[in-house]
Each structure stands twice: as C-alpha cells, then as structure tokens.
C-alpha cells in the first residue's frame, strides 16, 4: 500500500538456490538366451537384453552393439530407474557347433544429459552346443567288375562322407593295392569327397581268379572323439582261365639213317 506521507518503499526481492546432487550417470545391462545347451546347426536362439539406468540423471542417444547381431536400429532414452528391453535372434552355424560354445556379448552406451557419460556396460550369454559325434562312411567301386586279364586296367572310385555333426580334418586313406599317401580331406558334416585311381592286373591276380581290394579312411574331429576308421572293399573277378599246352618234336637227321 502507498505510504501515508513521503515516498513509497523500494521493492525488494530474494533468491534461494538449491544445488542438485552431483550427476552420476550409470548403466547396467543383462542378457539371457532362450536355450543354454544342446544347440545344433540352424537352431534359432532368442536373446533378451535389458538396459537399466542405474544413475541419477537421464541418459539419451543410447545404443547397443552385439558381436553376433546388427543392433544399429535399437536405441534408448532412460530416466533414472527406468529400463528398456530388446529381443533378437541368432541362427546357430556349423562353426558354432565345431567350437562347442556360443559366447555372445552385448555392449550398451549412452549420453548423460548432465555430467560425464556413463561407462560402457556389457553382458555375456553362453550357449553350449550339442555333444560332438564324429562319424565317417566310405564306399568303393570298381570298373570293370569281372572278366579282367593280365595287363588290364581297373578304375577304382572311393567316396568318403562325413555323417557326424562336427567337421573332420587331416583325413587320410590307406589302400592295399595303391599308394594314397598324397590324398587327404577335410569335411564338414554332410559333405563328401571322391578320389579315383587305377590298378593294373598282374599274373598273380589272374592266377588267384579275383582281385579283392580294400581301402580305409580315417580323420581327426575338430571337437570330441575322433571317428572310427572305416573301410570298404571292391572285388573284381578274372576272366575264365583256359589251360592249354602245345608240344613240338624234332629229329636229326630226318632221313638216310642206317642200321
């Protein structure tokens, strides 16, 4: 109110300042997998990642990075105490099964609205692959299979298949009629390899009436026990033997002899 008599009093104001706590930005992250063991090739694993703002200031421009997935489109902005959940999938590869485990790491980063940015947060989920079972099979064929004679050529073909669930390497062959020391193989599950070579029929083979030829194959598994050695034989029969003798006799002299 105006003062009675004299000038009005000057207007006064007062300010009170309250300081907030020191900003302490912090993130935490967790990661889980839909299955943790028994993973086979082409299985689909679903990962769930939860990012939590464990600090006291809001964070924005949050992003995720995963060594098994492209998460560039997944972002977040979180107030203190809030969290964001993300799910994504991963298909198991042969390399994963060969390794035995799938170790998958996710990283989370963000920008603090005030103060220092939070440290990068990481979480890892490990999935065990199915039990390693290495197995080989082998087949051997011959052309021709019958009617061979001395000097004939037999063409052999050998096919080795990996019927197990892990890759095999350092594969070798052994044949009782040929030197196959220079032929080796590496096979992923389901794959096969073929080799061809020749053999010339000998007199001993023909006399025996048949050529029984055996090949063996072995290899080393990249994980678990090595496969058992496998073998297969091909039998080629000789042509029908014909026993025939001839004889000649000469005399000297042939005429004019006397008693």
């Amino acid at each position: 109110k105006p003062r009675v008599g004299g000038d009005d009093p000057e207007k006064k104001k007062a300010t009170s300042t309250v300081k907030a706590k020191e900003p302490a930005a912090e993130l935490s992250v967790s990661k889980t997998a839909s299955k943790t063991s028994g993973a086979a090739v082409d299985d689909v694993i679903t990962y769930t990642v939860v990012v939590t703002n464990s600090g006291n200031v809001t964070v924005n421009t949050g992003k995720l990075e995963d060594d098994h997935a492209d998460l560039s489109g997944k972002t977040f902005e979180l107030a203190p105490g809030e969290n964001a959940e993300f799910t994504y999938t991963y298909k198991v590869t042969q390399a994963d099964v060969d390794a035995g485990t799938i170790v998958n790491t996710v990283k989370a980063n963000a920008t603090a609205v005030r103060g220092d940015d939070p440290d990068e947060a990481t979480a890892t989920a490990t999935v065990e692959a199915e039990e390693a079972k290495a197995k080989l099979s082998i087949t051997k064929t011959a052309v021709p299979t019958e009617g061979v004679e001395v000097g004939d050529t037999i063409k052999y073909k050998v096919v080795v298949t990996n019927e197990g669930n892990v890759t095999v390497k350092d594969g070798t062959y052994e044949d009782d009629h040929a030197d196959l020391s220079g032929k080796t193989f590496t096979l992923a599950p389901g794959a096969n390899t073929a080799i061809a070579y020749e053999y010339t029929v000998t007199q001993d083979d023909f006399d025996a009436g048949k050529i029984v030829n055996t090949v063996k194959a072995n290899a080393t598994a990249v994980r678990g026990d090595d496969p058992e050695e496998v073998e297969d034989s091909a039998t080629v029969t000789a042509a029908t033997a014909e026993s025939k003798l001839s004889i000649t006799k000469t005399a000297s002299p042939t005429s004019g002899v006397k008693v």
Side-chain angles (χ1 to χ4, degrees):
K1 292 181 180 180
R3 183 177 173 183
V4 178
D7 297 332
D8 292 338
E10 293 182 2
K11 186 180 292 185
K12 302 292 185 179
K13 64 180 180 179
T15 302
S16 176
T17 301
V18 178
K19 288 188 176 182
K21 287 184 177 180
E22 288 293 322
E26 183 179 357
L27 291 178
S28 62
V29 62
S30 65
K31 181 171 189 175
T32 56
S34 58
K35 69 184 305 179
T36 58
S37 62
V41 174
D42 291 335
D43 281 355
V44 175
I45 299 171
T46 299
Y47 289 108
T48 301
V49 171
V50 178
V51 182
T52 302
N53 183 346
S54 305
N56 63 2
V57 292
T58 298
V59 296
N60 55 28
T61 62
K63 59 183 181 180
L64 299 176
E65 180 182 342
D66 193 289
D67 54 13
H68 281 60
D70 178 10
L71 303 184
S72 57
K74 298 184 183 294
T75 60
F76 58 88
E77 179 175 342
L78 296 173
E82 289 185 338
N83 60 56
E85 182 175 297
F86 305 90
T87 60
Y88 50 99
T89 60
Y90 175 75
K91 183 179 285 189
V92 179
T93 68
Q94 185 61 56
D96 296 325
V97 175
D98 287 347
T101 56
I102 307 158
V103 181
N104 183 261
T105 299
V106 67
K107 300 176 182 179
N109 279 292
T111 302
V113 297
R114 185 167 66 90
D116 295 333
D117 293 336
D119 290 337
E120 180 177 77
T122 64
T124 299
T126 299
V127 178
E128 299 292 335
E130 63 182 352
E131 181 184 356
K133 296 178 181 179
K135 183 180 180 181
L136 295 177
S137 66
I138 189 171
T139 60
K140 180 170 189 174
T141 55
V143 177
T145 59
E146 59 184 0
V148 297
E149 299 182 353
V150 176
D152 284 353
T153 298
I154 301 172
K155 295 183 178 180
Y156 290 110
K157 181 180 180 181
V158 173
V159 178
V160 177
T161 303
N162 182 350
E163 296 187 351
N165 65 353
V166 291
T167 298
V168 295
K169 61 180 182 177
D170 303 326
T172 58
Y173 303 90
E174 182 183 340
D175 193 289
D176 54 13
H177 280 60
D179 179 9
L180 303 182
S181 57
K183 298 183 182 296
T184 60
F185 61 86
T186 296
L187 290 173
N192 61 61
T193 185
I195 61 171
Y197 50 100
E198 297 180 347
Y199 175 74
T200 302
V201 179
T202 68
Q203 184 63 57
D204 288 341
D205 296 328
F206 188 80
D207 290 346
K210 62 182 178 181
I211 305 104
V212 180
N213 183 257
T214 300
V215 66
K216 299 177 182 180
N218 217 328
T220 301
V222 296
R223 180 170 68 89
D225 295 333
D226 294 336
E228 294 182 358
E229 183 178 73
V230 291
E231 66 176 58
D232 194 27
S233 297
T235 299
V236 178
T237 57
T240 301
E242 296 180 4
S243 299
K244 183 178 180 180
L245 294 176
S246 63
I247 186 170
T248 60
K249 184 173 183 178
T250 59
S252 179
T254 59
S255 61
V257 294
K258 297 179 180 179
V259 176

